[in-house]
Amino acid sequence: QVQLVESGGGLVQPGGSLILSCAASALTFNRYTMRWFRQAPGKEREIVAFVGRTDDTSWYTEAVRGRFILSRVNAKNTVYLQMNSLKPEDTAVYYCNAYYSDEFTYWGQGTQVTVSS
């Protein structure tokens, strides 16, 4: 059974940093595009960033570009989302997603990130 397990969320002050991790199991990791989404209270889930299969292609939504860095280590079946210069509006539940096709896509359980003083 495919599992994506996120970790690294928590409470951080504005301007601080966090690193989220997403460890995948029971899938051929290097065949999947890895994506991070987030959902703030009362808002729809939105894509934050994605990284291609070999870590040579990445994309970030404008709200986080220049502050977040997404990377993957295929040998560890893990992706990392480094979040710097965090703002209160980054507060959300962050979800990891592995995407191969609409049929083969998997989600983690989510990890809470709260940015507050």
Side-chain angles (χ1 to χ4, degrees):
Q1 182 176 355
V2 174
Q3 280 194 314
L4 300 179
V5 179
E6 299 111 332
S7 60
L11 173 64
V12 63
Q13 292 186 343
S17 298
L18 283 175
I19 300 176
L20 305 183
S21 300
C22 173
S25 60
L27 55 69
T28 306
F29 186 73
N30 61 11
R31 292 185 181 180
Y32 286 77
T33 294
M34 297 302 296
R35 307 186 294 184
W36 283 93
F37 290 74
R38 67 185 179 186
Q39 187 166 18
K43 295 188 176 181
E44 294 187 353
R45 190 173 296 189
E46 63 172 354
I47 186 167
V48 176
F50 71 77
V51 61
R53 301 174 186 179
T54 59
D55 201 26
D56 58 354
T57 302
S58 59
W59 174 91
Y60 302 87
T61 191
E62 186 174 354
V64 309
R65 198 170 297 148
R67 299 188 296 122
F68 290 12
I69 301 171
L70 178 56
S71 60
R72 64 189 297 161
V73 180
N74 285 344
K76 294 185 176 181
N77 285 10
T78 302
V79 291
Y80 304 95
L81 182 67
Q82 179 163 353
M83 306 186 296
N84 302 315
S85 302
L86 283 161
K87 304 175 181 181
E89 51 264 43
D90 294 318
T91 295
V93 178
Y94 283 71
Y95 296 91
C96 177
N97 170 263
Y99 181 86
Y100 180 78
S101 66
D102 288 348
E103 179 180 0
F104 295 101
T105 185
Y106 305 97
W107 293 89
Q109 81 285 356
T111 185
Q112 176 70 47
V113 171
T114 303
V115 184
S116 175
S117 55

